Amino acid sequence: MKFSNYMNEWLYGKDGYYATYKEIGKSGDFYTAVSASKFFGGSVAKHIISLVDDGFLKKDGVVCEIGAHHGYFLADMIEFIYTLRPELLKTLKFVIVERFENLREFQKNYFKESFGDAISLTHYRSLSELRCENAFFIANEIFDAFGCELYYKGKTARVDGHNIEFDVDDEWVSSKAQKYHKDRGEIAVGYEEFAKEMALSCDKFEFMSFDYGEMLARPDFSIRVYKKHEVIPLFDENIKRDELFGKSDITYDVTFEHVKDAYEEAGVKFIELKPQMVALIDMGILELLEMLKENVEDKIYKQELEKAKMLIMPNLLGERFKMIRFRKEL
Ligand SMILES: C[S@@+](CC[C@H](N)C(=O)[O-])C[C@H]1O[C@@H](n2cnc3c(N)ncnc32)[C@H](O)[C@@H]1O
């Protein structure tokens, strides 16, 4: 079978990693910025308010998170909007695009417990079900969770059992590899369709996404498995793929140039790519921390500051992660 099918089965199959409920964070297999600090969502909330103030996002526009897992990121945004501009909670329409029924249920319950009837939350299984005029789309770590093909010196991988053989000639994969100057590495499958679906779903929107990677492809394989915070390269000689399959996360570095091309082909304008650290500072994370300092005890401020540092310190999540931003306007 194609490697992309194997990876999709690993992550999204009936017994796949995301199809069965998984903790992310301390007790899970890996951290995301969402599990590190609420100030991640807080900074995005501040940005959403600035989009409303600039007139790009209407007061009754859609705020939509894609691939929300527990929904904690969107919930953090809502909590900060409540603090900074409470009246917007009555007018903004909150949406989650989540393909898994069990996660949709978890998110519904979590939002009910956290906000009661104070906000409107709608779920869709896929972006293709959504139609709206004006939106802000947000996603954290989804482009590294699309199935990919593996390419090595002209050949594309095929999976037999759990063995990987490079002996297939695949024109599409080879052309992408040439375009991104890779002689080996991962070629993501599905960015083009995803970008088209988003472009068709809404007339005017901004899309912001955070992921691990670089604009240009790295000249090597980055595909790896996370098991209880241990990182195992997929081509590690001692790896037991049969035991890890479906039970641990599998991911790779995002080639942002590929994401950018997919959106531009769909008629959406690329705005910028920058380190997460810079993006969060530009959106106002330091002002939010300053507000906290003025309003809570020193001990609590210091605790929150330590967590927020994970997001903005260069050697932690701040530099390795990037923010990419797009806009569609008619
Ligand atoms: C690494 S997890 C990140 C979860 C969450 N955003 C966070 O930061 O904790 C990747 C998520 O992306 C979702 N995902 C991957 N491809 C997707 C797609 N094409 N459409 C919607 N969600 C997708 C997966 O279902 C999964 O929830």
Side-chain angles (χ1 to χ4, degrees), residues 243-261:
E243 289 175 18
L244 295 166
F245 186 86
K247 295 191 181 68
S248 46
D249 188 31
I250 179 165
T251 183
Y252 55 94
D253 290 9
V254 170
T255 300
F256 282 104
E257 198 180 18
H258 189 178
V259 178
K260 176 175 176 277
D261 288 346

Side-chain angles (χ1 to χ4, degrees), residues 12 18 24 32 34 66-67 69 99 140-142 145-146 194:
Y12 311 112
Y18 286 115
I24 295 179
T32 68
V34 178
I66 304 157
H69 203 77
R99 43 167 86 142
N140 187 52
E141 289 198 50
I142 71 164
F146 277 61
F194 184 78

